[in-house]
Amino acid sequence: MKTTLTILFISMSTMAFGQTDIIRKYQTADSLLTANNYLAAYAILGEIEPKCDARDSLYSKILWCYVGATTELEKQNRMNEVFDKSLHYGLEALKLIEKGKPYFGANYASREILMTKNIVVSYFGLGQIDSATRYKSVLYKAYKDKRLPKGLDESFNFTFFKWEDKNVWGYERYEELPKNRFGRSFSKIIYFVYSTNPDGSDKDPLYRLHVLMFHNIDPSNGIDYVLSKQLDTATNEVSGTFYAYTYTEDINFAKLQADIREVLKGNYEPTKESTNKK
């Protein structure tokens, strides 16, 4: 009996020490997050999250911070086009968000959609279009099920990259190509091109590149979309429809990404052009 009590006491002491150690490390991680030292906080939270009992009230706090640190690291790497790392953090964050659903409110689930969108951007940045498409299908299903949060319910950012001193954001609409080609104008894809501030953030919208519905008189030509450039604040820039760059309804995104870079270089032959004199 004495031996049993001794073992039980040692076991309880070990558990208490372990819990105290987790609390101490959580507090350290929380301070690091406050100081914006996300990488150091991430390392600590990654160590203690699997050690903490999921039934303990401390677990949800650790998980919340862990998701926050991982999400911020994903964003930092994505915005710096370090897409292999942003993908790593994005996939990890997605798993952590799934763990967090039972602990946090209904609005928390929207993080899953946002992170899915970010993963799409990372895969596009790596040129892994097939993998990006698999995650895009998750967004399209959520669109059909009317589960998308406001801001992502009509279109989503699927690609981001820097071009010289500009930021380029590509957005895709969920709506499919209209059957009536003459009823209205429709852009399936829009690339927004911004000038940048010294810190690399967006400054002014310069122009947009639209994957624009082609008002097709002869369906046999196989053209569903054509690339078009529309100016915002840019001066001494060409605008117009570039018939050298056309696409079918099932857009070849690898070709589109390459075409966009050619247009950014100034390689286009518009049939109609104008210059913004603002």
Side-chain angles (χ1 to χ4, degrees):
M1 181 67 178
K2 185 176 180 181
T3 302
T4 302
L5 289 173
T6 301
I7 294 172
L8 180 62
F9 176 76
I10 293 172
S11 177
M12 291 176 64
S13 298
T14 302
M15 289 173 62
F17 175 78
Q19 183 70 2
T20 301
D21 188 52
I22 289 173
I23 293 171
R24 179 179 58 79
K25 288 183 177 180
Y26 163 71
Q27 292 171 339
T28 300
D30 190 45
S31 297
L32 288 167
L33 287 175
T34 302
N36 297 329
N37 191 340
Y38 297 101
L39 189 59
Y42 164 84
I44 294 172
L45 293 163
E47 175 194 346
I48 63 176
E49 183 268 333
K51 295 179 180 179
C52 186
D53 190 330
R55 296 167 295 180
D56 193 306
S57 59
L58 181 62
Y59 181 77
S60 62
K61 296 177 182 178
I62 292 172
L63 188 58
W64 180 271
C65 291
Y66 194 8
V67 171
T70 310
T71 298
E72 181 61 30
L73 291 170
E74 185 280 330
K75 178 183 177 182
Q76 289 178 3
N77 282 280
R78 174 167 42 85
M79 293 303 298
N80 286 294
E81 299 181 84
V82 188
F83 293 118
D84 55 343
K85 288 188 177 180
S86 65
L87 178 62
H88 168 79
Y89 289 121
L91 292 171
E92 182 176 6
L94 198 60
K95 292 179 181 178
L96 294 172
I97 290 166
E98 182 66 28
K99 283 186 178 183
K101 286 181 181 180
Y103 296 94
F104 310 116
N107 291 335
Y108 181 82
S110 65
R111 288 192 173 202
E112 183 176 26
I113 296 296
L114 288 167
M115 192 54 63
T116 299
K117 181 269 296 181
N118 293 342
I119 289 169
V120 170
V121 174
S122 292
Y123 273 126
F124 263 97
L126 293 169
Q128 298 178 24
I129 307 301
D130 289 343
S131 296
T133 301
R134 289 201 301 272
Y135 281 86
K136 279 170 56 177
S137 68
V138 175
L139 300 177
Y140 271 89
K141 186 177 187 308
Y143 169 73
K144 291 178 181 177
D145 295 342
K146 302 186 184 303
R147 293 188 292 105
L148 290 170
K150 189 173 182 181
L152 277 174
D153 52 345
E154 294 184 359
S155 64
F156 62 94
N157 169 226
F158 72 93
T159 188
F160 167 80
F161 59 92
K162 295 181 182 292
W163 180 262
E164 296 178 342
D165 58 346
K166 304 173 184 65
N167 286 342
V168 183
W169 300 83
Y171 280 77
E172 179 174 346
R173 294 178 69 176
Y174 299 104
E175 184 182 352
E176 299 299 340
L177 182 69
K179 299 298 182 184
N180 182 359
R181 296 293 182 89
F182 298 95
R184 61 186 173 94
S185 179
F186 172 77
S187 296
K188 179 64 175 175
I189 308 288
I190 304 176
Y191 287 79
F192 296 87
V193 182
Y194 283 82
S195 62
T196 54
N197 294 304
D199 65 355
S201 60
D202 295 341
K203 185 179 180 183
D204 297 316
L206 299 174
Y207 54 86
R208 288 159 285 136
L209 299 170
H210 289 248
V211 178
L212 186 66
M213 178 175 65
F214 184 58
H215 297 299
N216 203 345
I217 298 174
D218 181 10
S220 66
N221 61 28
I223 299 174
D224 295 311
Y225 294 105
V226 62
L227 199 59
S228 175
K229 183 177 179 181
Q230 300 179 19
L231 305 184
D232 290 314
T233 65
T235 59
N236 300 316
E237 281 277 359
V238 170
S239 68
T241 302
F242 308 151
Y243 290 99
Y245 301 106
T246 61
Y247 312 93
T248 60
E249 183 174 3
D250 185 16
I251 297 170
N252 182 332
F253 278 90
K255 176 182 182 300
L256 174 61
Q257 291 281 76
D259 289 349
I260 292 297
R261 291 178 183 272
E262 287 301 310
V263 171
L264 290 169
K265 293 176 187 176
N267 296 335
Y268 37 67
E269 297 177 1
T271 58
K272 298 177 182 180
E273 64 180 33
S274 63
T275 304
N276 189 345
K277 297 297 185 181
K278 290 182 181 178

